[in-house]
Amino acid sequence: VQLMESGGGLVQAGGSLRLSCAASGTIVSINAMGWYRQAPGKQRELVASMATNSTTTYYADSVKGRFTISRDNAKKTVDLQMNSLKPEDTAVYYCHVVGRRTWANTPSPYWGQGTQVTVSS
């Protein structure tokens, strides 16, 4: 399973970015899809996630009201729309998927390579 991320970059405070992640390879089912981030010197933290039914979502308190997660189960993609960005949102953002490679496997976590988001003040 490969996760390809795109959409990171440099933006001024108050601006917007949209991150996209596409899963490819052999995967028969996907459970949760989401985004984590890791700032320098800090632990990786969950930013947002969405369950398979797309009605159960989680947002970190620090991004509620500013970030929106969405997914397309048919395309195996998950996006993160980030608005009103702040310098403290600066981090490497990682796509995270829990899925099965075959029906005989238990669901396992997969990670993207990470995409840098830098918000200047």
Side-chain angles (χ1 to χ4, degrees):
V1 177
Q2 294 82 42
L3 302 180
M4 182 62 68
E5 300 148 336
S6 62
L10 172 64
V11 65
Q12 289 188 332
S16 298
L17 283 174
R18 186 176 184 89
L19 304 182
S20 296
C21 174
S24 62
T26 303
I27 186 165
V28 297
S29 72
I30 296 177
N31 297 359
M33 302 184 81
W35 292 88
Y36 284 71
R37 69 185 180 187
Q38 187 166 20
K42 295 187 177 181
Q43 289 188 330
R44 190 173 295 189
E45 64 171 347
L46 176 61
V47 176
S49 67
M50 178 175 279
T52 303
N53 60 16
S54 297
T55 60
T56 304
T57 58
Y58 165 86
Y59 293 97
D61 287 343
S62 58
V63 307
K64 284 181 180 177
R66 301 187 298 121
F67 291 11
T68 303
I69 189 171
S70 60
R71 63 185 280 179
D72 185 322
N73 291 331
K75 295 181 179 179
K76 300 178 184 176
T77 60
V78 59
D79 293 348
L80 185 68
Q81 177 65 42
M82 305 185 294
N83 298 328
S84 302
L85 282 161
K86 304 175 181 180
E88 49 264 43
D89 294 318
T90 295
V92 177
Y93 284 70
Y94 297 90
C95 178
H96 178 258
V97 168
V98 178
R100 298 173 187 256
R101 293 184 61 194
T102 72
W103 290 112
N105 296 134
T106 57
S108 299
Y110 299 93
W111 293 92
Q113 79 284 359
T115 184
Q116 178 70 45
V117 171
T118 302
V119 184
S120 63
S121 57

